[in-house]
């Protein structure tokens, strides 16, 4: 793959697809993490005296209709504060072109307001390509999506390359997938086995121990014990049993249960073999926490994706909190990814204690599962013309 750092971008129009999909409430950005991770890419483009065009999606607009709450305007204002001496403009209607000088930045309005973006519309891809001389893919979090601004544009530009953030994400994930220091532990939480079944199968090939939590763990438990009203997938019991036969998966032996899915529901610690019909598993129990922490202490590589319970409810937060803090305190190389995982890291102020936090959720999981992403194959097809 050609990397942005190796190109001469002097006075070139450079279309940088970033992932600036940050949470915004009442036009105020509540987490700047994804923008801040993209700042080095912008600085590199400025250093190379490029004409910088920044594109991103934000949320999921319905039927390509403009919604003020999904506008990138607050992100534009934030970038103006970060780069007070740089001429930065915000453009809503840009598909027919615009003027830009070297050393300037243009922030484009949400690409998902453009008809055909999610369907990888060819005409839209051509319009994006006409805006630039070089395309830089730096949005790892959307690298698994085949859309016009992430994938389609590559079919119509003369030159496309990987941005610094995309390159770094791939480098860190390859480090775990190729030669992880052992023992390697995978900690996988979340609601459904079905959405992560292929991931679990792929990880079992390279991991030494797999800890599961959340609804995923409930499905495994349900293959051996009644789980009452707990979130689980009945249709995946047999597949869960097959995965469990690897003897690498460690299940909770006790759980925190409640009688209704509510923030005020009291928690009760029970063995997983004693769950009643009117009870619901919403966290791992105290003995399971101790067992998992001991395993984490012995690990040299940790891959973490997903909370181990309903961490949004204080009564069912303990498992996720204790395990996430054990990961943070471990000297092992730790890599974490996924939206809920990042929310946990933010909640418990662990940002600087995880070796690497991936900006991707779906892309993070797909790369682990398939060892590649659709856009990477396209980027590999470009070469620098002499």
């Amino acid at each position: 793959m050609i990397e942005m750092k190796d190109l001469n971008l002097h006075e070139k129009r450079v279309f940088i697809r970033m992932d600036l999909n940050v949470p915004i409430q009442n036009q105020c950005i509540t987490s700047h993490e994804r923008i801040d991770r993209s700042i080095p890419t912008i600085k590199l483009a400025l250093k190379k005296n490029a004409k910088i065009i920044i594109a991103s999606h934000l949320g999921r607009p319905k039927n390509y209709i403009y919604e003020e709450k999904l506008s990138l305007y607050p992100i534009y204002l934030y970038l103006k504060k970060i780069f007070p001496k740089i001429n930065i403009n915000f453009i809503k209607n840009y598909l027919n072109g615009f003027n830009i000088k070297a050393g300037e930045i243009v922030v484009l309005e949400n690409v998902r307001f453009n008809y055909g973006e999610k369907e990888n519309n060819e005409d839209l891809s051509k319009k994006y390509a006409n805006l630039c001389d070089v395309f830089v893919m730096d949005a790892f979090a959307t690298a698994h999506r085949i859309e016009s601004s992430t994938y389609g544009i590559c079919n119509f530009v003369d030159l496309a390359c990987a941005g610094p953030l995309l390159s770094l994400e791939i480098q860190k994930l390859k480090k775990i997938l190729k030669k992880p220091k052992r023992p390697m532990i995978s900690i996988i939480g979340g609601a459904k086995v079905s959405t992560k079944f292929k991931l679990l199968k792929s990880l079992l090939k390279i991991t030494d121990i797999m800890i599961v939590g959340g609804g995923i763990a409930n499905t495994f438990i349900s293959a051996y014990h009644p789980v009452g009203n707990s979130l689980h997938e009945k249709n995946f019991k047999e597949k869960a049993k097959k995965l469990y036969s690897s003897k690498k998966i460690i299940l909770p032996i006790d759980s925190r249960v409640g009688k209704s899915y509510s923030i005020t529901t009291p928690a009760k610690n029970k063995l997983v073999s004693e769950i009643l019909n009117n009870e619901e598993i919403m966290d791992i129990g105290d003995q399971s926490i101790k067992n998992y922490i001991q395993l984490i202490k012995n690990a040299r590589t940790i891959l973490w994706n997903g909370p181990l319970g309903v961490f949004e409810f204080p009564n069912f937060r303990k498992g996720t909190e204790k395990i996430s803090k054990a990961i943070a305190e471990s000297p092992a190389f730790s890599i974490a990814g996924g939206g809920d995982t990042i929310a946990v890291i933010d909640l418990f102020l662990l940002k600087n204690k995880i070796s690497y936090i991936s900006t991707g959720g779906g892309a993070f999981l797909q790369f682990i599962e398939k060892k590649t992403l659709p856009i990477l194959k396209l980027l590999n097809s470009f070469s620098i013309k002499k």
Side-chain angles (χ1 to χ4, degrees), residues 329-344:
E329 289 162 10
S330 167
F333 176 80
S334 55
I335 186 165
D340 285 340
T341 314
I342 292 172
V344 170

Side-chain angles (χ1 to χ4, degrees), residues 181-200:
K181 289 184 178 179
R182 301 202 177 271
M184 174 182 170
I185 291 185
S186 298
I187 300 167
I188 308 297
K192 295 182 178 180
V193 171
S194 56
T195 58
K196 294 184 180 179
F197 181 73
K198 290 179 180 177
L199 167 74
L200 296 176

Side-chain angles (χ1 to χ4, degrees), residues 48-186:
K48 289 177 174 284
N49 197 37
K51 300 175 180 179
I52 305 161
I53 302 163
I54 294 174
S56 177
H57 74 285
L58 180 64
R60 296 176 179 174
K62 293 179 181 177
N63 302 317
Y64 302 109
I65 295 169
Y66 173 83
E67 296 178 61
E68 188 178 11
K69 68 178 181 180
L70 297 179
S71 172
L72 262 67
Y73 191 75
I75 294 163
Y76 154 72
L77 294 178
Y78 180 70
L79 289 175
K80 281 180 74 72
K81 289 179 183 177
I82 299 292
F83 298 102
K85 295 180 181 178
I86 304 298
N87 187 24
I88 307 180
N89 294 303
F90 180 74
I91 302 182
K92 276 190 177 183
N93 302 307
Y94 47 81
L95 292 177
N96 293 322
F98 48 83
N99 295 321
I100 181 172
K101 295 177 182 176
E104 291 184 345
I105 299 172
V106 162
V107 178
L108 306 182
E109 180 58 284
N110 190 345
V111 293
R112 286 191 180 166
F113 290 151
N114 297 325
Y115 179 78
E117 166 65 21
K118 287 185 69 66
E119 291 79 20
N120 190 32
N121 179 276
E122 189 172 295
D123 289 338
L124 180 59
S125 299
K126 286 179 181 177
K127 286 180 179 179
Y128 288 143
N130 288 336
L131 298 177
C132 66
D133 304 304
V134 179
F135 171 62
V136 178
M137 178 58 179
D138 207 36
F140 174 75
T142 59
H144 61 309
R145 300 188 186 280
I146 297 177
E147 299 179 352
S148 287
S149 69
T150 59
Y151 186 91
I153 184 175
C154 285
N155 295 309
F156 303 103
V157 291
D158 292 330
L159 186 58
C161 67
L165 184 54
L166 180 71
S167 298
L168 182 64
E169 293 268 14
I170 299 303
Q171 175 195 326
K172 295 293 184 182
L173 284 173
K174 280 184 175 177
K175 180 177 178 179
I176 271 197
L177 298 178
K178 284 192 174 178
K179 286 185 179 178
K181 289 184 178 179
R182 301 202 177 271
M184 174 182 170
I185 291 185
S186 298

Side-chain angles (χ1 to χ4, degrees), residues 217-234:
N218 296 347
T219 298
F220 280 97
I221 294 167
S222 74
Y224 305 98
H225 303 287
V227 292
N229 289 326
S230 307
L231 173 67
H232 69 289
E233 292 175 283
K234 294 176 183 177

